[in-house]
Amino acid sequence: MKKRLITAGCVLFWLVLWQIGACLLDQELLLVSPVRAVERLIELVPSAGFWRSVGFSAGRILCGFVLGTVCAVTLALLAGKLRVVKLLLSPLISAVKAVPVASITVLALIWVTSRNLSVLISFLITLPVVYSGMLEGLENLDPKLSEMARLFRVPPVRRFAGVYLSQLLPYFRNATRLAIGLSWKSGTAAEIIGIPSGSMGEKLYSAKIYLETADLFAWTIAVILLSWASERVFLLVTDIAVNAVSGRHFRGRTGEFCELAPAFLNAENITKSYGKNTVLSGFSHEFPAGKTTAVMGVSGCGKTTLLGILTGLVTPDCGSISGAETARFSAVFQEDRLCGNLTAAANIRLVTGNSRSAEEIDKALCTVGLEGCADKPVRDFSGGMKRRVALVRALLAEFSVIVLDEPFKGLDETTRARVSEWCRKMLTGKTAILVTHDRGDCKALSAAEVIELYAIAGQEQHSQ
């Protein structure tokens, strides 16, 4: 509400300034007042000719915009997948961006009739704007969110709706918001050059020729208002479509929550190096079913790498993990790996489908101190709040093994005690592997065994 009042105040400021300028100049031929321009627009609106011109121009400009948007999104998806497509399109998109609208319009008159000129111009203006925005979004997709979805076995359609669509939507909205405004400006300019009969461009051209300044300003205001209304309607339709897709597919399968039997894991002779840096060398250990095993050690000793290997997200140089091939994993990662544009509940449903009821999700969030946060986007949460959502997501998922990488990171002492107590109850009888620097976490989660992992110096082995 405050933002809208500020915007309205800014608009009012410039209207007052315009009115003062018109009064000081006192030459309506050069500058009419906003009051006179609005009066003339009000006179034009009831006429059938006004709406015929609006329908003529709006239909063609928006048609070009929609065609350009569809084509741009398709090409961006191809370019994001195939590097050769990106390389081939790069000079074309750059050329279309750089060529002046007037030059494109004159050339376009050779190819199409003046009646359809605004369709082509709007298309050519929209294409590079939306393409560039979508390609930027694709290039900035977070691979760790894709990795998270793979570990939780999120179904493909729900993965698209929750992981990819939620990340790409802000880029799409920003690009189309800009493109639709440019489409109206360029489309109208094309009509002024082509002068198709019955268009808004023809009305603007006539007003200029006959020095009807009030008409010129009235039609200009009409274009601005139509551009603004088109943007709002398009974004509203986009949001409705996205919410429909998300609401449908986050639920995924139907059925009751399936309590999986705890799995047993056995790591045998695991070795992993990154370049010349060996982080694990000949690591072997059995992780008993139904127990919590803690892994401790200094930074860089391979704790997070070990969790990645156990879950199958990281491939070891040699060695094997018995039991992992049939295990169903859940995880609290070192990073929260939440989809920022989704709500807390949607982030949880992304991995649980509808196997957990809304009441169960709300109760779990309340238990960790997030009352009333289920329907709020997590991008607005603090670090500690995000950590708790990640914990709830992991513990409400179906799993036979859960890995917890510094699960209480960023929580204050009071919140940590509250959350760890809930986690301990949820992990009773489960196979859990905890990575931590804090022995208090081992005690809080009733770890049956603590592995001390040390950084490797030369060929010196870690110890347990």
Side-chain angles (χ1 to χ4, degrees), residues 47-60:
S47 67
F50 174 85
W51 290 107
R52 279 197 297 270
S53 295
V54 167
F56 180 99
S57 297
R60 286 162 173 77

Side-chain angles (χ1 to χ4, degrees), residues 4-117:
R4 291 181 179 178
L5 289 174
I6 293 173
T7 301
C10 292
V11 172
L12 182 61
F13 169 80
W14 289 109
L15 288 174
V16 170
L17 201 62
W18 177 8
Q19 180 68 40
I20 293 172
C23 292
L24 293 175
L25 189 60
D26 197 23
Q27 290 288 332
E28 187 170 298
L29 183 64
L30 299 177
L31 182 65
V32 299
S33 69
V35 174
R36 174 59 186 139
V38 172
E39 286 178 350
R40 182 55 184 148
L41 179 60
I42 292 173
E43 292 170 2
L44 290 170
V45 168
S47 67
F50 174 85
W51 290 107
R52 279 197 297 270
S53 295
V54 167
F56 180 99
S57 297
R60 286 162 173 77
I61 290 170
L62 294 178
C63 178
F65 164 75
V66 171
L67 289 173
T69 298
V70 172
C71 187
V73 170
T74 302
L75 291 175
L77 291 173
L78 288 173
K81 191 74 173 176
L82 303 171
R83 181 173 173 76
V84 65
V85 175
K86 179 181 176 182
L87 292 173
L88 287 172
L89 288 175
S90 180
L92 175 63
I93 296 298
S94 297
V96 175
K97 279 183 179 180
V99 176
V101 174
S103 298
I104 297 178
T105 303
V106 172
L107 289 171
L109 278 170
I110 301 173
W111 307 323
V112 298
T113 64
S114 62
R115 292 186 64 81
N116 295 318
L117 181 62

Side-chain angles (χ1 to χ4, degrees), residues 224-247:
I224 293 171
L225 292 175
L226 287 167
S227 175
W228 176 84
S230 300
E231 176 190 315
R232 293 296 184 273
V233 170
F234 180 80
L235 293 178
L236 177 62
V237 171
T238 299
D239 288 342
I240 291 173
V242 169
N243 289 335
V245 170
S246 300

Side-chain angles (χ1 to χ4, degrees), residues 277-296:
N277 182 30
T278 301
V279 292
L280 290 172
S281 179
F283 176 87
S284 296
H285 191 78
E286 292 183 353
F287 298 89
K291 302 290 184 181
T292 296
T293 303
V295 181
M296 299 189 67

Side-chain angles (χ1 to χ4, degrees), residues 7 14 44 172 191 199 278 309 332 379 387 406 436 451 459:
T7 301
W14 289 109
L44 290 170
F172 179 78
E191 289 181 346
S199 67
T278 301
I309 292 171
V332 175
R379 63 170 177 266
R387 199 61 177 167
E406 298 287 350
T436 182
I451 302 172
Q459 294 301 314

